[in-house]
């Protein structure tokens, strides 16, 4: 089963990852990181297919996908 890891301290909440995710795994969390941004979280991690599009489109390299 693929695993998605989003590093909150690097995420600025642009949500490119959520926009491009074919399975709508990612969404905006309610917590705020140390820079003051609400960051992306894996809301439906069991739906992840491991395509890693989210990691590719992330401008801050805040996402890693493990297969």
């Amino acid at each position: 089963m693929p695993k998605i890891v989003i590093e909150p301290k690097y995420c600025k909440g642009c949500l490119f990852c959520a926009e491009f995710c074919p399975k709508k795994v990612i969404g905006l969390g309610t917590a705020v990181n140390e820079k003051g941004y609400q960051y992306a979280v894996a809301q439906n991690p069991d739906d992840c297919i491991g395509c890693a599009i989210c990691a590719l489109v992330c401008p801050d390299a805040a996402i890693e996908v493990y297969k």
Side-chain angles (χ1 to χ4, degrees), residues 22-53:
K23 294 294 187 174
K24 305 301 177 204
V25 172
I26 304 169
L28 190 62
T30 56
V32 177
N33 67 15
E34 58 196 32
K35 295 178 184 173
Y37 296 113
Q38 277 183 276
Y39 53 87
V41 295
Q43 294 179 330
N44 305 305
D46 292 339
D47 293 342
C48 181
I49 58 173
C51 67
I53 292 173

Side-chain angles (χ1 to χ4, degrees), residues 1-66:
M1 169 184 250
K3 179 182 177 186
I4 180 171
V5 177
I6 302 172
E7 186 61 55
K9 67 181 177 182
Y10 298 126
C11 180
K12 65 177 180 247
C14 70
L15 293 181
F16 287 153
C17 53
E19 183 179 336
F20 287 96
C21 179
K23 294 294 187 174
K24 305 301 177 204
V25 172
I26 304 169
L28 190 62
T30 56
V32 177
N33 67 15
E34 58 196 32
K35 295 178 184 173
Y37 296 113
Q38 277 183 276
Y39 53 87
V41 295
Q43 294 179 330
N44 305 305
D46 292 339
D47 293 342
C48 181
I49 58 173
C51 67
I53 292 173
C54 56
L56 291 172
V57 300
C58 180
D60 299 303
I63 303 174
E64 291 186 35
V65 178
Y66 300 96

